[in-house]
Amino acid sequence: MLIVAGYMDVEPGARDDFLAGMVAGMTTSRAEPGCLDYVLSPDPIDPGRVRLFERWETKEALGVHLARMAGQRSESSGPSPVKAVELLQYEIGATGPIGS
């Protein structure tokens, strides 16, 4: 299993519009084979930060997703509203209930 987690910074006044514009992409990503979770959400403390959390069954499934996303970026027009980004991939060897 893989987890992708991190953040994107946007102008605070543009965050709600940015998130609204990402709903269709989140829906598409959640329907991809191997996607267990995919969510972008507003940070409750930082008004310009959007948090990303994804869970994928395999590295291959994530790779297909990333290739699709790269293709979409090359087709998009206009500047990106994202000012800064930090996304990290975590490879998980075991899972279980908290505290076990």
Side-chain angles (χ1 to χ4, degrees):
M1 177 185 305
L2 284 93
I3 292 175
V4 175
Y7 66 84
M8 290 170 256
D9 287 338
V10 298
E11 289 295 331
R15 186 175 73 176
D16 289 346
D17 288 340
F18 174 76
L19 284 167
M22 300 301 283
V23 171
M26 283 188 275
T27 301
T28 299
S29 295
R30 287 179 179 190
E32 289 182 69
C35 182
L36 302 171
D37 284 300
Y38 195 103
V39 65
L40 287 156
S41 60
D43 185 294
I45 296 171
D46 185 337
R49 185 155 283 183
V50 173
R51 297 286 177 175
L52 173 69
F53 177 82
E54 307 173 25
R55 278 190 321 137
W56 294 89
E57 290 178 346
T58 65
K59 193 174 234 180
E60 293 76 23
L62 176 59
V64 170
H65 167 74
L66 293 173
R68 182 182 69 78
M69 296 298 290
Q72 285 183 338
R73 277 192 296 274
S74 66
E75 295 172 8
S76 67
S77 62
S80 171
V82 178
K83 300 181 335 182
V85 62
E86 179 180 276
L87 300 174
L88 298 173
Q89 168 185 304
Y90 303 88
E91 295 185 45
I92 308 302
T95 62
I98 292 176
S100 60

